[in-house]
Amino acid sequence: MIEVKNLVRSYGLQPAVRDISFSVQEGEILGFLGPNAAGKSTTMKILAGFLPANSGSATVAGFDVSTQSIEVRKRLGYLPENAPLYPDMTVSDYLKFHARIKGIPSRQITQKVQAALEKCFIVEVKNKLIGKLSKGYRQRVGLAQALIHDPQVLILDEPTVGLDPVAIKETRDLIKSLGGKHTVILSTHILPEVSMTCGRVVIIHKGKVVAEDTPENLTTKLQGVRSIYLEVKNEAPNLLAELSAIQGVNRVSITQAQSYLVETRQDLDLRDELARWVVNKGYGLIELRTEKVSLEDVFVQLTTQESEEELTHA
Amino acid sequence: MHNILAITRKELHHYFSSPIAYALATMFLFINGFVFLMVVYFQQQADMSVVTMNMGVIFLFLCPLISMRLFSEERRTGTMELLMTAPVTETQAVLGKFLGAVGMLAAMLALTFHLPLFLILFGKPDIGPLWSSYLGLLLLGSGYLALGLLASSLAKNQVVAAVTGFGMILFLWLLSASGDIFSPPVTDILKYLSFFEHFGDFTKGVLDTRHLIFYLSFIGYVLYLSVLSIRNRKWR
C-alpha cells in the first residue's frame, strides 16, 4: 500500500532524511519511532505530498507521490503535528469545508460530517468555535478531518500529543480500530503507544532507518543481551574505558553522570566481578542491578549507537 | 471549480468572522460618505467621478489590508499543510482565495450603492458613468488584490505581506507620473503599465476594451506568479 525507496530530503544544507526505505502492507498499522529531528515529520510530509523529496521515490496506493500527487491526496488522510486548524470556524463548518475540498458529493456531506464527529467523540462540541476548544478536542477535530473521506491511507503525526490519559486511550482504541480497513502510519515518541497500537515498528534516527520489525521481535532481539546497571559515587573519568576492557563485556554506555549500562552475553553473569572491581578501585559502588529489556531500551540503544561509535573512535 | 468555490466560501467566512473586515468597511464607508457629501453639497453636481477617483485611491491602502492574510496566515498557523495535502491544486487554492478577496471587496463596494441611489432620486445623473465606474473600481481593486495575494504568498508575516503589497501597488499607480521623465518609447510603456492611466476612462463612462484587457491580463499574470510562488515554497 505504501512503498518508500531511498528517500532523501534536506532543508538547505541541513539533511533531514538521508536514506529511508520501508513498505507498509494494506490494513497494517505502522509505528514510526524516532527521537526529535530524526526525520519522522519530514518523511510524513513527503508521503502526504506537502514536500517533494530531493531523491528517491514513494508510492501510496500505487500512485507516485511526486508525479501523481492529487491521486495520492484523494486517498490519504493526514494529521500534521499539532493539528493546525482554523480557530474562527466551528467544528462542523470546518469539517464541512474539508469534506468539500476532499471531493465528497454535496448530498453526502452532512452524513459524512456526522460520522466523523461520532467516530472521534466530538459530537458535543460540533457547534463550538475551534479556537475555544481545548488541545485535546482540537487534536480530535484534526483526526476527524483526516478521516472524513474514508481514506485508504492515514498518516498521523503524533496524534496523541497533548491529550489527557482518557483521551489518549480513546484515541489509541480509535486508531487500533482503523487497522484492517485503513493503512495507518503513526509517528510517536511514546514507546508503549507503539507496542499497544502498532503491528510493526520502523525506528529512524538521523534520517535513516535503524530498525524495522514487530515490537515483540525488536525486544527479543535484544534479549540475547544482559544489561547491568551500575552507579558509582566518585567521579571516574576512565571508568567507561576500564569497564569496556573487562573480559566478557560487549558494550558500555553512560546513561547519566556516573551511571553506566554494561552489556554482556545473556549466559554470563558479571555482577559479582564488576562489584569487586569497582570497590577495589575505590570508585564507591552505589547501585548494581540487572536491567530488564524493554522497547524503550531498544529505542535508546538503536538511536544512541552512532554517538557511541564516535565516542570510541575519539 | 468545486474546490475553488469551497475555498472561496471558506475565505469569505474568515473575512466576515474577523474584526479587520468590519474595521476596513467602516473606514471605507465613512471616508466615501464624507467625500460624497463635499462633492454634492459644495459643488452641487450629480456626479460620482470625484467619489470614484477617491475610492480608487482608498483602494491603494484597503486592498493590501484585505489580501494580506490570504496565504500568510495559513503559513503562520500551519493550516497551509492541511490545505495543500487535500486534493487541491495550487491553482485552485490561488483562484479560490483570490475570488474570496474579490467577494469581500465587492461586498464593500455594494455597501456604497446608496450614494449613486441618492443622486438618481434627487438629481439627474448620467447613468452610464455610474455603471462603468463600479466596473472600473472592481477591476482596479481586483488587480490590487492579485498583487496583494502575491505578496501574501511570499511573506509569512501579515504586516510584511501588507507592506509589500502596498509598495507594489503604489509603485504601479505612480508609474504614470514618472513616465514623463523618460523619452517617448519608455514613457509609453511605463504609462501603459500604470494602473492610474487605465482607470480614468472608467470614471468618465468610457468602456475601452484596451483597459479591460489590461486589467484582466494583469490579474491573470500576477495570479500565475502567485501559483509559481506557492509551488516554489515547497522546495525551501
Side-chain angles (χ1 to χ4, degrees):
Chain A
M1 187 51 81
I2 301 172
E3 201 76 48
V4 177
K5 276 191 199 126
N6 307 103
L7 221 52
V8 175
R9 164 80 203 198
S10 48
Y11 297 108
L13 291 173
Q14 185 76 39
V17 171
R18 286 160 195 260
D19 181 11
I20 286 186
S21 307
F22 63 90
S23 62
V24 192
Q25 300 306 310
E26 195 172 343
E28 194 176 17
I29 302 180
L30 180 84
F32 220 49
L33 207 58
N36 288 325
K40 298 185 301 263
S41 293
T42 305
T43 309
M44 292 183 135
K45 280 177 189 171
I46 294 170
L47 285 177
F50 185 64
L51 283 179
N54 295 128
S55 68
S57 68
T59 58
V60 173
F63 295 99
D64 189 278
V65 291
S66 59
T67 57
Q68 296 162 302
S69 182
I70 291 285
E71 292 304 315
V72 169
R73 288 187 247 161
K74 277 182 192 163
R75 291 163 178 80
L76 179 132
Y78 175 48
L79 173 64
E81 217 172 339
N82 302 324
L85 310 165
Y86 302 116
D88 58 352
M89 291 179 111
T90 64
V91 173
S92 55
D93 278 346
Y94 177 76
L95 291 178
K96 272 180 208 156
F97 166 65
H98 268 279
R100 277 189 213 108
I101 59 171
K102 278 166 180 163
I104 296 172
S106 7
R107 282 172 282 108
Q108 295 176 28
I109 284 179
T110 325
Q111 174 216 331
K112 292 270 184 188
V113 167
Q114 187 62 29
L117 287 168
E118 279 165 20
K119 247 187 196 169
C120 300
F121 317 103
I122 46 175
V123 181
E124 69 272 23
V125 296
K126 69 173 179 182
N127 294 322
K128 279 199 174 168
L129 285 178
I130 291 173
K132 305 260 182 218
L133 294 180
S134 67
K135 175 98 169 77
Y137 272 116
R138 260 182 274 165
Q139 194 79 23
R140 284 190 254 174
V141 175
L143 199 57
Q145 162 277 130
L147 282 169
I148 195 149
H149 56 309
D150 272 323
Q152 286 172 275
V153 175
L154 275 166
I155 295 184
L156 312 174
D157 201 348
E158 307 200 350
T160 57
V161 163
L163 300 186
D164 65 61
V166 179
I168 288 180
K169 196 186 172 304
E170 282 174 350
T171 310
R172 279 180 196 159
D173 290 344
L174 171 65
I175 293 169
K176 241 197 248 175
S177 74
L178 295 172
K181 202 172 149 222
H182 306 262
T183 308
V184 184
I185 298 186
L186 142 103
S187 83
T188 179
H189 297 295
I190 309 159
L191 295 149
E193 187 158 293
V194 171
S195 28
M196 264 183 257
T197 49
C198 304
R200 214 153 50 85
V201 192
V202 167
I203 299 182
I204 67 171
H205 180 54
K206 291 197 175 172
K208 284 180 180 164
V209 175
V210 288
E212 183 186 351
D213 217 326
T214 60
E216 297 79 36
N217 281 354
L218 280 176
T219 323
T220 45
K221 252 185 203 167
L222 273 206
Q223 230 119 53
V225 178
R226 181 195 291 264
S227 298
I228 300 165
Y229 175 85
L230 171 72
E231 195 178 338
V232 297
K233 193 170 149 200
N234 303 329
E235 262 183 58
N238 296 326
L239 191 55
L240 186 75
E242 287 170 6
L243 286 172
S244 311
I246 294 175
Q247 184 122 47
V249 171
N250 290 343
R251 252 164 51 92
V252 185
S253 48
I254 302 177
T255 54
Q256 287 165 46
Q258 289 155 53
S259 303
Y260 300 85
L261 209 58
V262 181
E263 280 164 27
T264 64
R265 286 207 321 272
Q266 178 70 30
D267 51 356
L268 200 67
D269 193 350
L270 284 181
R271 278 180 294 178
D272 179 37
E273 198 178 335
L274 279 177
R276 209 170 331 120
W277 193 80
V278 171
V279 170
N280 285 345
K281 285 272 181 181
Y283 290 142
L285 181 63
I286 289 179
E287 196 177 346
L288 184 86
R289 59 179 154 85
T290 321
E291 284 266 80
K292 280 237 164 73
V293 181
S294 67
L295 194 57
E296 197 131 4
D297 300 318
V298 181
F299 178 65
V300 170
Q301 197 181 355
L302 287 167
T303 54
T304 49
Q305 236 155 24
E306 198 164 316
S307 50
E308 267 166 40
E309 276 162 23
E310 282 158 17
L311 208 76
T312 43
H313 283 302
Chain B
M1 200 61 207
H2 177 83
N3 284 347
I4 296 174
L5 290 181
I7 293 170
T8 301
R9 205 163 148 181
K10 175 190 81 95
E11 291 305 325
L12 286 172
H13 181 111
H14 289 316
Y15 281 124
F16 288 109
S17 60
S18 112
I20 296 175
Y22 294 97
L24 290 177
T26 308
M27 181 273 285
F28 181 64
L29 291 176
F30 176 76
I31 293 182
N32 280 324
F34 182 67
V35 172
F36 181 81
L37 182 75
M38 289 202 300
V39 171
V40 173
Y41 188 81
F42 292 112
Q43 297 189 353
Q44 298 286 317
Q45 281 177 357
D47 175 23
M48 281 287 282
S49 62
V50 176
V51 180
T52 312
M53 214 33 149
N54 182 66
M55 284 195 213
V57 174
I58 299 177
F59 277 7
L60 289 173
F61 308 92
L62 189 74
C63 291
L65 291 174
I66 291 179
S67 60
M68 64 180 182
R69 53 164 301 285
L70 290 172
F71 280 107
S72 304
E73 181 71 0
E74 300 247 17
R75 286 183 44 220
R76 189 183 64 79
T77 58
T79 47
M80 190 74 174
E81 204 167 331
L82 274 177
L83 185 64
M84 297 323 294
T85 52
V88 171
T89 63
E90 287 93 353
T91 313
Q92 287 170 342
V94 165
L95 287 177
K97 282 175 176 287
F98 173 68
L99 288 179
V102 171
M104 182 64 213
L105 189 78
M108 284 195 194
L109 272 180
L111 289 174
T112 67
F113 282 169
H114 64 286
L115 301 179
L117 198 68
F118 275 130
L119 293 185
I120 292 165
L121 287 177
F122 299 107
K124 285 197 189 66
D126 210 348
I127 302 293
L130 293 181
W131 284 114
S132 68
S133 290
Y134 273 101
L135 178 67
L137 280 171
L138 194 64
L139 284 169
L140 178 80
S142 301
Y144 288 171
L145 288 174
L147 273 176
L149 181 133
L150 175 64
S152 184
S153 77
L154 294 166
K156 211 172 189 171
N157 182 305
Q158 287 198 39
V159 178
V160 175
V163 170
T164 312
F166 176 65
M168 293 197 284
I169 292 166
L170 193 61
F171 179 71
L172 280 175
W173 180 263
L174 293 174
L175 267 184
S176 74
S178 73
D180 298 331
I181 306 167
F182 302 99
S183 47
V186 182
T187 307
D188 291 343
I189 293 169
L190 290 181
K191 282 201 168 166
Y192 181 77
L193 287 175
S194 166
F195 271 43
F196 183 76
E197 289 292 312
H198 293 276
F199 185 55
D201 278 354
F202 284 101
T203 64
K204 294 173 199 144
V206 180
L207 275 186
D208 191 331
T209 41
R210 277 181 308 165
H211 301 321
L212 283 175
I213 288 169
F214 169 77
Y215 281 123
L216 293 177
S217 58
F218 180 86
I219 291 166
Y221 180 64
V222 174
L223 290 182
Y224 174 66
L225 288 182
S226 308
V227 171
L228 292 187
S229 156
I230 297 297
R231 230 172 250 167
N232 177 49
R233 280 276 141 221
K234 286 178 157 190
W235 294 96
R236 302 266 172 93

